[in-house]
Each structure stands twice: as C-alpha cells, then as structure tokens.
Amino acid sequence: MLSKRIIPCLDVRNGKLTKGVKFQGNVDIGDPVESARHYYEQGADEIVFYDITASAEGRGIFLDVVEKVASRIFIPFSVGGGINTLDDMRAVLLAGAEKVSVNSGAVKNPDVISQGAAAFGAQCVVLGMDVKRVPKSEAIPSGFEVVIHGGRKPTGLDALEWARTGEALGAGEICLNSIDADGTKEGYDLELTRLMVQSVGIPVIASGGAGSPDHMADAFTQAGASAALIASIVHYGEYTIPQIKEHIAAKGVKMRMVW
C-alpha cells in the first residue's frame, strides 16, 4: 500500500501567504517562501502553491515567487493559478515546479489537460477543482457543482462528471477542494471525497476543512483519499507536521516518516 501524503497548501495573494474561510475574508499571514521551507524541513510530502487571484484578475502567475519557493525545497511542488495554456504550464515547470494544477483554465479550455499530459506526462497535470454543494438537478445530479475564478463563478458542471472528463483527457491526479468546508476546520467533506474517489481511477487529494489530525485520518480511512491538503492548522501553529503524521500513523495508516 502506498503511503498517504500530507501536503501543506500555500494560498498566495500579491506575493504574500494568505488564508480565508470559504474563499472569503482572506488575511495575509506570512511569507510563502519561508513557510514552504519550514514545512519541507518538518517532513511535508509535497507543497502546493496557489496564486488565488490570478484567474480572476486575468493575469499569469507570479513566477518569481515560484522560483524562490522551488529553490528552497526538495520535495514535489505543485503550482496553480492563472494557468490557461501549454506555454503557461511550461513556464511554471521551468520555474521549478514538478506539477501544474489547472482549474479555471481547464474548464474554459479542456484541451489544455490533454496538451499538458502529452507534452509533460500525466503525472505533471493535476486537475484542481473548487466544488460547492447545490440542489441536485438534471444538470448537476450529484449535487456538487464546479466553481471557478476562486469560488466566484458557478459553471453549471457536475463535479463528478467533470472529474471523469479530466481523467479521460489525461489528468494524473485530482485536487478536490470543498468550498463549503474551506477554512472551517470542521473536517473534510467526506461524502464529496468518497464519491470522487469512487468516480475516478486516479489519486484524489482531499482539501478544505482540516482542523485536526483525525480529520485527515478520516479522509484516508473513510473516504479513500490518497493525500490530504492542510493549511490553517499548520499556518497558525496548532500542529506540526510530525505531530500530524505520528497521530495518523498510530491509527494504522501508512505514512512516510523521515525524522
């Protein structure tokens, strides 16, 4: 069995590490470069970096910050935000990322998924999904809708159907963020995560809502996630990554322990 992964998430706005609740009320809380190095030294399995306003502002990602982070860590590094074309993907990978997360850009141009997979390999292409609960309908039978532009624009796409489409186009992984749970520290949306894991054959990263190591353990054991994205609980110093991994491993979940 593969080890489950713990992945700190760095949401970046104007070059600063930021955090909000349900995609609103963001406040700047630090330096993403120093935070990335800190989490790497603690034993994070990967780092995810999102330029959270790039798509909504219609601009490219801040490559200088990506380069600085990449120079300070030596674990897989995934970058998203404002990535719309194959050239955008190439620029991010050349800046030092190992993976590219496409979200809003992929909804608007699904071919970018297949183009990226063909050029760089499926393992480099992560389909990022920001998902919100809505009433079930003919168009959205699962009751989970994809929302883009940092949670600002509903798409009318059913999340499970879009995930299957993304997988067919060549995405190698899905990062599934629940807008409803984001920043609440009340736990991941296990129903959404479980449905997603059952719908696709590629790894699913649970995201949104982690408030304790038990929440991550639940995402692994109850919903089948391959990895868990975390933010608030480490950004605010409530837990260290070693504490998180030790707690989860004690529940019988295979973790990569490096200290």
Side-chain angles (χ1 to χ4, degrees):
M1 182 177 69
L2 293 175
S3 296
K4 301 296 187 179
R5 291 170 287 151
I6 300 298
I7 307 176
C9 177
L10 308 176
D11 286 341
V12 178
R13 178 180 64 176
N14 298 324
K16 299 291 186 180
L17 181 64
T18 185
K19 193 69 191 82
V21 177
K22 299 184 180 181
F23 285 34
Q24 297 179 0
N26 280 72
V27 295
D28 294 340
I29 57 175
D31 178 358
V33 180
E34 292 306 315
S35 295
R37 178 69 182 186
H38 176 64
Y39 298 140
Y40 159 68
E41 291 175 344
Q42 281 196 356
D45 298 298
E46 299 182 21
I47 297 288
V48 166
F49 171 109
Y50 289 134
D51 188 331
I52 64 170
T53 58
S55 291
E57 294 172 0
R59 60 168 173 79
I61 204 163
F62 289 126
L63 290 174
D64 59 329
V65 183
V66 174
E67 290 171 350
K68 290 175 183 175
V69 171
S71 72
R72 301 292 301 279
I73 64 173
F74 303 96
I75 52 177
F77 179 33
S78 178
V79 174
I83 297 173
N84 299 298
T85 68
L86 188 64
D87 285 342
D88 292 338
M89 289 183 167
R90 182 177 291 108
V92 166
L93 293 171
L94 289 174
E98 281 78 29
K99 300 179 183 180
V100 176
S101 181
V102 289
N103 190 324
S104 301
V107 170
K108 292 180 284 187
N109 175 26
D111 287 343
V112 75
I113 301 173
S114 53
Q115 291 168 358
F120 310 117
Q123 79 285 348
C124 286
V125 182
V126 180
L127 178 59
M129 298 176 59
D130 297 326
V131 176
K132 190 173 182 63
R133 285 179 177 265
V134 296
K136 292 184 179 181
S137 65
E138 185 175 348
I140 307 175
S142 72
F144 293 101
E145 181 179 11
V146 176
V147 182
I148 60 173
H149 290 176
R152 298 170 180 85
K153 184 177 180 181
T155 65
L157 291 174
D158 183 89
L160 303 184
E161 183 59 34
W162 173 233
R164 288 188 286 264
T165 298
E167 179 182 22
L169 288 170
E173 192 168 47
I174 289 172
C175 187
L176 177 66
N177 190 53
S178 166
I179 295 176
D180 301 293
D182 179 75
T184 65
K185 298 197 288 187
E186 295 176 354
Y188 299 98
D189 188 325
L190 296 180
E191 179 188 6
L192 170 61
T193 306
R194 187 181 304 111
L195 287 171
M196 186 62 67
V197 169
Q198 293 171 348
S199 295
V200 298
I202 53 179
V204 174
I205 304 170
S207 174
S212 76
D214 283 333
H215 292 153
M216 285 161 259
D218 290 345
F220 298 142
T221 61
Q222 297 184 31
S226 295
L229 219 64
I230 57 175
S232 298
I233 65 169
V234 287
H235 294 340
Y236 295 119
E238 296 169 31
Y239 293 92
T240 66
I241 291 171
Q243 286 172 339
I244 290 169
K245 287 191 169 186
E246 288 167 6
H247 185 96
I248 297 171
K251 292 179 174 289
V253 178
K254 187 177 180 182
M255 306 297 296
R256 185 181 69 93
M257 315 295 274
V258 295
W259 49 85

